[in-house]
Amino acid sequence: MNIWNIFAPIYERSMKSQQQIYSYIYAHAAATCEGKDVLELATGPGMIAKNIAHAARSVVATDFAEKMIATAKKNGCPKNVTFEVADATDLQYDDNSFDIVIIASALHIMPNPEKAMQEISRVLKDGGTLIAPNFIFSGKKNLWQHFLSFIGVKFAHEWTADEYSDFLRQNGWQIVGSEIVKGRIDLIYVECKKG
């Protein structure tokens, strides 16, 4: 069974200790998403989608794990948010469908994140923005990373901030803003434009 289906009921609670990171993401992403049509990939329990909905025109929030989507639909949902099961590497949406695509803290767990980058580029409108915050690593694993490994959460990529930025550039993205946000596992908040 997919580890994310197993983890779904407790994911949001487990991330409470990363509140400073999520508060940063909500505030910055909401400002960028003002009045825009947004696609979020790897939404998990829908924390970002629900917290940016007040700013966006519409949000389609997706996840590969069915139980994550079921969890996201609980406890109410803003009227302009739709939750759907979708594979970030094989999206069912038309070309040039969204003003903004968000993929937060997910690319490092994908074996082939380049496929997600291609799909994001395809569904994003010309002049659109990719918001791609991602956990970054600095060598030695901390206790939280060991715990995640123990329960079955695997990191396909353990990028440093520079390596992650290089990955985005190599996949056709121009970084227009980035900042490191400290947490239990540090995160780099990145906004990009195509090419």
Side-chain angles (χ1 to χ4, degrees), residues 71-85:
T71 300
K73 289 179 177 179
K74 291 181 181 176
N75 303 320
C77 178
K79 292 189 186 315
N80 63 336
V81 176
T82 305
F83 288 106
E84 300 177 358
V85 175

Side-chain angles (χ1 to χ4, degrees), residues 6-34:
I6 296 167
F7 205 28
I10 61 164
Y11 184 83
E12 187 170 0
R13 246 179 322 188
S14 75
M15 300 316 286
K16 294 278 190 213
S17 66
Q18 292 278 69
Q19 192 57 47
Q20 74 281 10
I21 282 178
Y22 285 97
S23 294
Y24 183 98
I25 292 171
Y26 303 153
H28 286 76
T32 301
C33 294
E34 187 75 43

Side-chain angles (χ1 to χ4, degrees), residues 11-167:
Y11 184 83
E12 187 170 0
R13 246 179 322 188
S14 75
M15 300 316 286
K16 294 278 190 213
S17 66
Q18 292 278 69
Q19 192 57 47
Q20 74 281 10
I21 282 178
Y22 285 97
S23 294
Y24 183 98
I25 292 171
Y26 303 153
H28 286 76
T32 301
C33 294
E34 187 75 43
K36 306 289 188 184
D37 294 317
V38 179
L39 172 65
E40 185 190 5
L41 305 174
T43 192
M47 296 158 49
I48 294 173
K50 290 175 182 178
N51 280 279
I52 66 163
H54 69 278
R57 180 170 42 221
S58 68
V59 181
V60 177
T62 70
D63 201 282
F64 184 70
E66 294 173 11
K67 289 192 178 174
M68 281 292 190
I69 293 300
T71 300
K73 289 179 177 179
K74 291 181 181 176
N75 303 320
C77 178
K79 292 189 186 315
N80 63 336
V81 176
T82 305
F83 288 106
E84 300 177 358
V85 175
D87 180 350
T89 65
D90 187 20
L91 296 170
Q92 66 263 30
Y93 309 108
D94 291 337
D95 295 359
N96 306 305
S97 295
F98 299 95
D99 302 304
I100 309 277
V101 176
I102 300 172
I103 184 164
S105 304
L107 291 166
H108 66 285
I109 63 171
M110 295 180 176
N112 297 301
E114 298 83 4
K115 289 183 181 179
M117 293 283 94
Q118 291 168 0
E119 283 293 271
I120 291 167
S121 182
R122 182 182 65 76
V123 301
L124 190 63
K125 293 177 183 175
D126 290 341
T129 300
L130 166 63
I131 301 174
N134 206 80
F135 291 123
I136 53 173
F137 305 91
S138 57
K140 189 176 179 185
K141 288 184 180 180
N142 64 25
L143 186 60
W144 179 244
Q145 290 165 284
H146 283 295
F147 172 73
L148 291 175
S149 294
F150 175 75
I151 64 169
V153 176
K154 305 291 184 208
F155 300 120
H157 310 278
E158 294 186 353
W159 291 304
T160 65
D162 288 341
E163 289 168 343
Y164 182 61
S165 298
D166 287 345
F167 164 79

Side-chain angles (χ1 to χ4, degrees), residues 172-193:
W173 299 95
Q174 176 188 358
I175 296 172
V176 295
S178 73
E179 186 172 348
I180 293 174
V181 186
K182 293 293 190 179
R184 194 167 50 192
I185 301 175
D186 293 345
L187 175 128
I188 185 168
Y189 180 89
V190 183
E191 294 192 5
C192 306
K193 299 286 188 185

